[in-house]
Amino acid sequence: MNHDIVEEDLLRPTPVTRDAGRDLITTTPGAKPPAKRRGARSVGPVRVAIIHDWLVTYAGAERVLEQIVACFPEADIFSLVDFLDDRTFLRGKSVTTSFIQKLPKARTKYRSYLPLMPLAIEQLDVSAYDVVISSSHAVAKGVLTGPDQVHISYVHSPIRYAWDLQHQYLQQSKLTSGPKSALARMILHYMRNWDIRTSNSVDAFVANSEFISRRIHKVYQRDSEVIFPPVDVESFSLCEEKDDFYLTASRMVPYKKIDLIVEAFARMPERKLVVIGDGPDMQKVRAKATPNVQIMGYQPFNVLRDHMRRAKAFVFAAEEDFGISVVEAQACGTPVIAYGKGGALETVRDQYESHPTGIFFNEQTADSIIGAIEDFADDPTRFRPADCRANAERFSIRHFRERFFGFVRETVPALQGATLPVDEPPAKVSEPKPASSALRVLAIDQSGVMGGAELSLLEVVKALKARVQVVLFDDGPFRMALHREGVAVDVLDPGATRDIRKQGGTPPIAKAVKGVASLVRATVARARQSDVIYANTQRAMVIGAIAGRFAGRPVVWHLRDIVSPEHFGSKQLAIIKWCAKLGLAHVIANSAASARAFAELTSFGDKRIDVVFNGISAAPFSALRDTPQSVLRARLKLPQDAFLVGSFSRLAQWKGQHVLLEAMVLNPQMHAVLVGAPLFGEDAYEARLREFVASNGLQGRVHFLGFQDDVAACMCAVDVVAHTSITPEPFGRVIVEGMLARRPVVAARAGGVVEIIDDGVNGLMCTPGDAHALADTLAELRSDQALRDRLVAQGYQTAVRKFGTQAYVEGVERILATVANGV
């Protein structure tokens, strides 16, 4: 059957009436009654039941369910469980659930009840309905129906983990051997037998692709109608002008093969790739990335859509049942370079067809991807954006509704006089979002000082305001900032733990234990009112891990350090390893460098570590855009005509301010501006800096501004921002802030810095601790205005696109919700 052509007879509108008493679909009076089938009524109300496996989120299967409900808006809905927070796509309808809904931890561990699902689905009573429509990727098609009922099953796939993906499922679940493996194999064997037996009660199968249709035939020995899933192509607009980059976007799980795409582009340094998405494979992907590959992580829908519109091609290496993103890219007029298996064969027109929309590669290897990219690049004009858009429209929501309703109408005699209802769409659900509306978070931080970690936490709690309580282990400006945002804050007395330092300084053991116990007790009391503990600093993580154990709450640590001997003492590293085993459910790292160091120290699994770059607001810097630099310098008592190099961080040995001062000795025509103060017992280092200034005659050229509230004004007052850490920096917030201030940035090449700066493109990098190299780079910047302008333009673009606050906050919130829900 050619599915590109829709039969006019099937879709021609026919009048429909409704029974006023029951408001259900009825046949048109006077229409010729069809032949009865197994006792089905030819006139009168037709009651419809829709069965879905489980309702916990809004993803691909739920997009299909949404449109089935639109076809039959008066239908009743049944599901094993229903834990939806946002019900707009179901039009607010209630759902009848199974006994699994009330089992312990069903909200987060519903998949663990797989052995009970066949029994549970069979207990759903749909005997009062004339038509049963199941939306099934697991057990929904096994609902019990009688001889006078018509059962139509829209199959997203036969149970993958029980059939052809069993061995992959067992391997990923670490169930390849042992008693648990034997039990799992017995359960899956039972599931296969049950799955085949219940297929006999389905009157008509609908598959979401030819690929799944073949699976249905192989497993059930049944034919099926192919009706492609609905894609919201109207949310994507055609873009004729393309930028010079390729795009891939996906959840980073093994079968998506994102690492292969990145590996391929790493071998093509002249071609740019943008990667959007996150997941368990993020570290593997980042490890293979080269400067021409930009890893953006999770991004909101509008950012994804913008990149899909501007990309010269969308690269897709997975073997998918269907592949919605492939269609979405084409809806933007963007051609596709895809693995030639699975659903892509049905959604992409090959280069050898008329009006082609993409190219296929034959193997899931880097070499095969490279070959397809080179083939595409030879003549990209073969693929017209208008042809891509036209092809995508075959998979529109309207097309799905017409096809599916028409199929049901032809299958059910009593509906042959009915027409597709005029849709009154619910509020739009633009993309999957975590079920976080009811999320309650206890955020804990050890400091009252406004450091980089606290500024980043402030962005998160501002977004979660009504659902977060913050606990600090010290008072200070941070508490006031939180109060100004209307956030609930408690300050606990840290006792002797205040004297614990990264490099191993500790108070007497008895006092330390007493202080820890006091903080844990207070934290446990507050944690019991929350769903997840969010620890923002290392000392807070230790208290959180212990408190989470007692309170029975998962703990997420936002890791903002590189946990290595260069940054931490041996005792602190041992405590971190112990806490990782004791009570950490998940880690959010602020860079791949931080994530790697933590994984190496603790052997924490990649699936429990996510990289989310710090989000930094451009607003304070934009507000100063029209303020003359002379005004800012006068306010800060800085010289008007000097070439100023700014350093912005607390004064600490590892931050390397001494390297900048040594470079000032080599560059007598420059001034250094040091913004920051010693915070954690580092006053001796400040004294050494001032002594160096005095002994080298730098008094008139080095300006100690101390702690400053308005960092944006300080940055806009200088000519260059220098980041001089002598040990690897976990992230480098100052670098992004410098880019937002529209100042050229020079930074030490180590740690998270290399994930921000593309050397020579949006900033310059030097060897850590090398004062001569820093002096030479600063001299080059001073003499080359064109270079400064180019770095500023590219740097600002990088900061806004890659390190915006929206993507950062949404990424953290999504992880917290996922951990809280036990997913």
Side-chain angles (χ1 to χ4, degrees):
M1 176 178 178
N2 185 349
H3 298 288
D4 297 343
I5 301 172
V6 178
E7 294 292 341
E8 292 297 328
D9 291 343
L10 188 65
L11 302 181
R12 184 179 294 118
T14 308
V16 67
T17 64
R18 294 186 182 273
D19 177 66
R22 300 184 65 180
D23 196 28
L24 297 168
I25 295 175
T26 66
T27 56
T28 305
K32 181 180 179 180
K36 289 188 178 182
R37 177 180 177 181
R38 292 201 295 265
R41 291 184 288 268
S42 58
V43 293
V46 178
R47 298 199 64 188
V48 179
I50 300 173
I51 321 298
H52 194 66
D53 287 302
W54 46 75
L55 290 166
V56 293
T57 187
Y58 180 79
E62 288 69 39
R63 292 171 188 260
V64 173
L65 175 65
E66 178 180 17
Q67 302 311 322
I68 294 175
V69 172
C71 291
F72 302 96
E74 307 305 329
D76 292 329
I77 303 175
F78 295 77
S79 180
L80 290 174
V81 296
D82 173 17
F83 294 113
L84 291 173
D85 291 302
D86 185 352
R87 324 187 57 76
T88 52
F89 78 96
L90 293 181
R91 302 163 184 254
K93 297 173 76 71
S94 61
V95 176
T96 301
T97 58
S98 74
F99 63 82
I100 293 179
Q101 178 84 13
K102 297 181 179 180
L103 293 180
K105 297 186 178 180
R107 183 184 186 98
T108 57
K109 303 294 185 182
Y110 62 93
R111 292 178 187 271
S112 301
Y113 292 114
L114 176 65
L116 297 178
M117 287 182 181
L119 174 64
I121 205 74
E122 291 173 349
Q123 304 313 304
L124 294 177
D125 183 4
V126 296
S127 59
Y129 298 87
D130 306 294
V131 180
V132 175
I133 300 172
S134 58
S135 165
S136 182
H137 56 80
V139 298
K141 72 161 184 54
V143 67
L144 299 180
T145 55
D148 292 334
Q149 295 174 290
V150 179
H151 181 184
I152 297 169
S153 184
Y154 189 98
V155 177
H156 307 278
S157 177
I159 311 175
R160 296 178 183 88
Y161 37 85
W163 290 102
D164 50 318
L165 298 185
Q166 173 186 294
H167 301 293
Q168 179 180 328
Y169 164 75
L170 292 173
Q171 186 174 16
Q172 291 177 351
S173 303
K174 298 180 180 179
L175 293 171
T176 54
S177 61
K180 289 185 178 179
S181 173
L183 178 60
R185 293 171 193 273
M186 289 176 61
I187 291 171
L188 294 176
H189 177 73
Y190 157 71
M191 294 294 294
R192 284 191 292 275
N193 288 338
W194 178 87
D195 196 29
I196 292 174
R197 178 177 59 78
T198 56
S199 68
N200 295 323
S201 68
V202 176
D203 294 291
F205 279 103
V206 180
N208 70 355
S209 64
E210 294 284 358
F211 180 65
I212 291 302
S213 182
R214 293 194 297 274
R215 263 187 178 166
I216 290 172
H217 190 270
K218 186 176 184 66
V219 173
Y220 305 142
Q221 298 298 300
R222 297 282 300 278
D223 293 331
S224 55
E225 181 81 0
V226 175
I227 300 178
F228 295 116
V231 180
D232 188 8
V233 297
E234 297 305 318
S235 291
F236 299 84
S237 57
L238 177 65
C239 180
E240 299 274 358
E241 299 297 324
K242 302 299 180 182
D243 291 351
D244 186 24
F245 70 89
Y246 296 82
L247 173 70
T248 188
S250 170
R251 174 76 174 154
M252 291 188 186
V253 292
Y255 86 94
K256 295 286 189 178
K257 307 295 183 184
I258 302 298
D259 59 316
L260 279 182
I261 298 174
V262 171
E263 180 183 335
F265 276 85
R267 291 163 53 185
M268 297 184 289
E270 73 283 6
R271 306 197 190 282
K272 296 179 182 177
L273 174 70
V274 174
V275 183
I276 293 178
D278 65 4
D281 270 9
M282 176 63 89
Q283 301 312 313
K284 183 194 296 185
V285 170
R286 287 193 182 281
K288 294 185 177 183
T290 46
N292 62 312
V293 177
Q294 181 183 4
I295 312 288
M296 295 186 67
Y298 169 79
Q299 295 294 323
F301 175 71
N302 62 326
V303 175
L304 171 63
R305 177 176 55 191
D306 175 62
H307 282 78
M308 274 190 170
R309 296 182 74 247
R310 295 187 294 109
K312 64 166 56 177
F314 184 80
V315 187
F316 187 79
E319 182 179 351
E320 285 277 23
D321 302 338
F322 179 70
I324 288 176
S325 61
V326 170
V327 179
E328 291 173 337
Q330 292 175 86
C332 298
T334 301
V336 176
I337 300 169
Y339 178 46
K341 292 285 181 69
L345 292 173
E346 303 164 56
T347 58
V348 178
R349 293 186 184 275
D350 191 27
Q351 60 178 323
Y352 303 111
E353 299 182 50
S354 61
H355 307 292
T357 65
I359 286 177
F360 294 118
F361 51 92
N362 298 326
E363 298 177 346
Q364 288 176 313
T365 64
D367 287 336
S368 190
I369 295 172
I370 291 171
I373 299 289
E374 299 293 351
D375 189 0
F376 173 87
D378 285 344
D379 184 14
T381 60
R382 290 171 288 173
F383 310 99
R384 297 174 58 248
D387 290 337
C388 295
R389 175 71 187 188
N391 186 50
E393 287 175 350
R394 298 189 295 127
F395 309 99
S396 68
I397 289 173
R398 176 191 60 81
H399 195 132
F400 173 85
R401 288 183 185 173
E402 291 172 344
R403 291 290 313 281
F404 186 76
F405 186 85
F407 178 78
V408 175
R409 183 180 59 192
E410 291 300 310
T411 305
V412 181
L415 288 179
Q416 288 189 9
T419 58
L420 183 63
V422 176
D423 183 44
E424 297 177 2
K428 184 174 180 58
V429 181
S430 60
E431 64 174 331
K433 287 184 178 285
S436 59
S437 60
L439 179 68
R440 298 168 303 170
V441 179
L442 177 67
I444 52 179
D445 191 293
Q446 69 196 43
S447 178
V449 179
M450 289 291 287
E454 287 69 37
L455 288 168
S456 294
L457 176 60
L458 184 61
E459 293 295 337
V460 175
V461 299
K462 280 159 60 176
L464 296 176
K465 194 176 299 184
R467 295 174 279 129
V468 67
Q469 180 183 10
V470 178
V471 169
L472 303 180
F473 298 165
D474 205 355
D475 202 357
F478 186 34
R479 177 181 63 81
M480 297 304 299
L482 291 165
H483 272 308
R484 284 194 295 270
E485 294 297 335
V487 177
V489 188
D490 284 338
V491 178
L492 306 180
D493 181 3
T497 64
R498 183 184 284 112
D499 300 323
I500 298 175
R501 298 282 175 257
K502 278 185 179 181
Q503 295 296 335
T506 57
I509 187 66
K511 289 186 177 181
V513 170
K514 183 179 178 181
V516 168
S518 175
L519 290 175
V520 167
R521 280 195 301 271
T523 305
V524 167
R526 291 161 176 80
R528 290 195 172 114
Q529 308 303 315
S530 302
D531 300 307
V532 61
I533 299 173
Y534 176 42
N536 192 53
T537 48
Q538 189 250 344
R539 203 185 315 157
M541 178 274 294
V542 175
I543 301 302
I546 301 172
R549 195 77 170 180
F550 283 109
R553 297 294 185 270
V555 180
V556 176
W557 182 23
H558 203 135
L559 174 63
R560 305 183 188 276
D561 291 295
I562 294 178
V563 287
S564 68
E566 295 172 298
H567 292 271
F568 289 83
S570 58
K571 291 180 181 178
Q572 277 63 37
L573 292 175
I575 290 171
I576 291 170
K577 289 178 68 174
W578 177 76
C579 288
K581 293 180 179 179
L582 172 75
L584 288 186
H586 207 90
V587 167
I588 302 173
N590 64 354
S591 68
S594 297
R596 280 194 300 272
F598 181 79
E600 290 170 3
L601 175 70
T602 64
S603 300
F604 218 62
D606 287 346
K607 292 183 179 180
R608 293 198 289 156
I609 305 176
D610 277 295
V611 175
V612 178
F613 290 126
N614 288 342
I616 300 168
S617 174
F621 303 92
S622 299
L624 295 168
R625 185 76 187 273
D626 299 324
T627 303
Q629 191 180 63
S630 59
V631 172
L632 298 176
R633 290 190 174 189
R635 185 192 306 170
L636 296 167
K637 298 184 172 61
L638 294 173
Q640 290 290 342
D641 300 325
F643 187 83
L644 302 182
V645 181
S647 169
F648 301 83
S649 72
R650 77 175 197 259
L651 301 183
Q653 175 77 23
W654 76 275
K655 289 291 186 178
Q657 284 89 352
H658 60 281
V659 180
L660 177 59
L661 298 187
E662 290 169 11
M664 290 300 102
V665 174
L666 299 171
N667 279 335
Q669 66 275 58
M670 297 183 189
H671 289 228
V673 179
L674 304 187
V675 178
L679 297 182
F680 304 115
E682 292 153 335
D683 301 85
Y685 179 69
E686 180 186 14
R688 290 200 301 273
L689 292 178
R690 292 184 180 276
E691 181 182 345
F692 182 90
V693 169
S695 61
N696 287 275
L698 299 175
Q699 293 93 330
R701 293 198 294 119
V702 176
H703 311 274
F704 288 87
L705 299 189
F707 175 81
Q708 293 287 328
D709 285 318
D710 195 349
V711 173
C714 296
M715 283 192 171
C716 291
V718 304
D719 297 291
V720 175
V721 172
H723 183 277
T724 55
S725 296
I726 61 175
T727 56
E729 184 77 46
F731 175 67
R733 179 187 181 91
V734 165
I735 296 170
V736 180
E737 290 177 328
M739 291 173 171
L740 289 171
R742 292 180 169 86
R743 295 295 179 263
V745 178
V746 180
R749 185 188 290 105
V753 171
V754 300
E755 300 169 52
I756 304 173
I757 290 183
D758 186 355
D759 196 15
V761 176
N762 58 7
L764 299 176
M765 289 194 285
C766 299
T767 302
D770 190 336
H772 285 82
L774 177 61
D776 292 343
T777 301
L778 292 173
E780 181 185 9
L781 279 173
R782 181 176 180 274
S783 63
D784 192 340
Q785 179 68 49
L787 174 61
R788 297 204 301 271
D789 291 344
R790 178 165 57 81
L791 296 177
V792 164
Q794 292 294 327
Y796 183 78
Q797 199 172 53
T798 297
V800 171
R801 286 188 178 181
K802 194 173 181 180
F803 303 102
T805 55
Q806 182 180 0
Y808 166 70
V809 170
E810 288 184 358
V812 171
E813 185 179 1
R814 177 177 46 80
I815 293 167
L816 292 176
T818 299
V819 172
N821 290 330
V823 179

